[in-house]
């Protein structure tokens, strides 16, 4: 993900509910679907052994994020997430102003 | 982390190197130290079984982030991270413009 700022990030942190049947398949499907949307720049995801998940997706503009949020297949997935899979989540939309990588000399 | 936007996020994604001796202790120490700094709002961290780590810390202003970046103990930790612990990392500084939580009706 080598885009130059400014661009946008969706920071999605979540804790899963008890019923996670079908969740992993849907998460993989949505990640593949997102990758084909206009303005998609990249996605990174980690779920801790303790149960906290953090997924950050990167987009060229806020309009791209709104469009992806309203995608019909994505909306169906959101609905299942709301009803079944997530105990809690936070979504933050943020404008990336600066980006750099490391370690220095090995980046 | 119930702050109202706008505020700032530092999105730190990393892959560890082979030598991780002392890393967990230092990570816990830096998290505790960060929590005492001016402008600190919160921190969330997950490391995947696959090795990708994502830590997002939240701050009131960009100046708070710069001050934390220059903290003398933090700089010593950054130095060890650069020399020993990280195979690669990306740091992004982003302005959180919108935040909401879910699921609806349970948030």
């Amino acid at each position: 993900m080598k885009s130059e700022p400014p661009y946008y990030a969706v920071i999605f942190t979540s804790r899963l509910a008890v019923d996670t049947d079908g969740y992993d398949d849907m998460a993989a499907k949505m990640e593949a679907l997102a990758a084909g949307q206009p303005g998609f720049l990249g996605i990174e995801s980690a779920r801790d052994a303790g149960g906290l998940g953090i997924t950050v997706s990167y987009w060229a503009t806020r309009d791209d994020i709104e469009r992806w949020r309203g995608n019909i297949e994505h909306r169906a997935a959101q609905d299942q997430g709301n009803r079944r899979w997530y105990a809690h989540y936070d979504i933050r939309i943020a404008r990336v102003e600066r980006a750099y990588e490391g370690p220095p000399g090995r980046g």
Side-chain angles (χ1 to χ4, degrees), chain A residues 1-54:
Chain A
M1 233 295 289
K2 298 288 179 191
S3 305
E4 283 299 306
Y7 53 86
Y8 279 83
V10 180
I11 306 165
F12 181 79
T13 60
S14 66
R15 289 193 177 277
L16 295 177
V18 177
D19 171 16
T20 58
D21 195 41
Y23 172 78
D24 286 343
D25 283 350
M26 183 64 91
K29 192 175 159 186
M30 284 303 114
E31 199 167 313
L33 187 64
Q37 303 306 306
F40 176 87
L41 300 177
I43 190 165
E44 293 170 315
S45 199
R47 186 165 297 277
D48 213 75
L52 180 71
I54 305 178

Side-chain angles (χ1 to χ4, degrees), chain A residues 10-94:
Chain A
V10 180
I11 306 165
F12 181 79
T13 60
S14 66
R15 289 193 177 277
L16 295 177
V18 177
D19 171 16
T20 58
D21 195 41
Y23 172 78
D24 286 343
D25 283 350
M26 183 64 91
K29 192 175 159 186
M30 284 303 114
E31 199 167 313
L33 187 64
Q37 303 306 306
F40 176 87
L41 300 177
I43 190 165
E44 293 170 315
S45 199
R47 186 165 297 277
D48 213 75
L52 180 71
I54 305 178
T55 297
V56 189
S57 60
Y58 302 99
W59 302 84
T61 71
R62 272 190 71 160
D63 283 348
D64 296 324
I65 292 169
E66 285 306 309
R67 197 177 303 118
W68 167 234
R69 194 183 177 210
N71 174 286
I72 191 77
E73 288 179 75
H74 187 203
R75 285 190 75 98
Q78 289 168 42
D79 186 53
Q80 284 209 69
N82 283 331
R83 287 188 293 105
R84 296 175 53 201
W85 292 319
Y86 293 116
H88 185 80
Y89 60 78
D90 288 286
I91 295 176
R92 295 181 176 94
I93 296 171

